[in-house]
Amino acid sequence: MLISFALYSCKEDENTTSPPVPVCDQACQDEHTAYGYIQVFWYIWNQNIAGQPVGTKDFTVPGPQGGSVHVTGTTDYASNGVNTLHLVLQMIGCKGMGEKYNLTFNGTITADGTFSLIHKAITYASPVFGYTGTVGKDDWVTDVDGNCGVIINEAFTSVSGTICSREFAY
């Protein structure tokens, strides 16, 4: 009786390829840039306008992490709880930083619209608005830099618009 043994070579597969790195395409970059601007706007609103008397505004304040913002325009508050704003923000080296953005804004941008506890319709617009910095987090961080037309439409549950004539929505 013959017994045969087969010898097999056991070799662990070596995976030399890394997992794919997440990529933030141009639309993603524009979405994060718009998000960063909106966060900076609401910081300025909450720190300097909310809780203050309505009416004419003309003041200069520091940006969240540096630079300055000169705010002019008007605000109003109706008995039905609706806030109205017609503001112009002149940003000079206005820096903002959050979980997915680290941006510096330069230029003049308008903020027009209304909002309440259940409604928001605000448009931020500028024919030429500058931004530079990074967007992203964790495995991906992307440099962004632009000086172009911006329209950001903020609704209660969505944001859309154009940055440098490129459309975005989230």
Side-chain angles (χ1 to χ4, degrees), residues 50-123:
Q52 299 299 314
V54 298
T56 302
K57 306 295 177 202
D58 188 351
F59 58 86
T60 300
V61 294
Q65 276 82 36
S68 65
V69 182
H70 181 204
V71 178
T72 58
T74 61
T75 62
D76 196 9
Y77 181 78
S79 60
N80 64 358
V82 175
N83 291 277
T84 301
L85 56 105
H86 303 289
L87 299 173
V88 177
L89 291 83
Q90 182 181 11
M91 298 180 155
I92 301 172
C94 178
K95 296 180 182 182
M97 186 181 339
E99 183 181 7
K100 294 184 180 181
Y101 68 94
N102 184 349
L103 296 167
T104 301
F105 298 104
N106 286 290
T108 301
I109 190 165
T110 61
D112 285 295
T114 60
F115 69 95
S116 69
L117 292 175
I118 59 170
H119 160 83
K120 189 182 292 181
I122 301 173
T123 297

Side-chain angles (χ1 to χ4, degrees), residues 11-20:
K11 181 178 177 187
E12 186 176 319
D13 286 342
E14 292 180 23
N15 185 354
T16 58
T17 60
S18 300

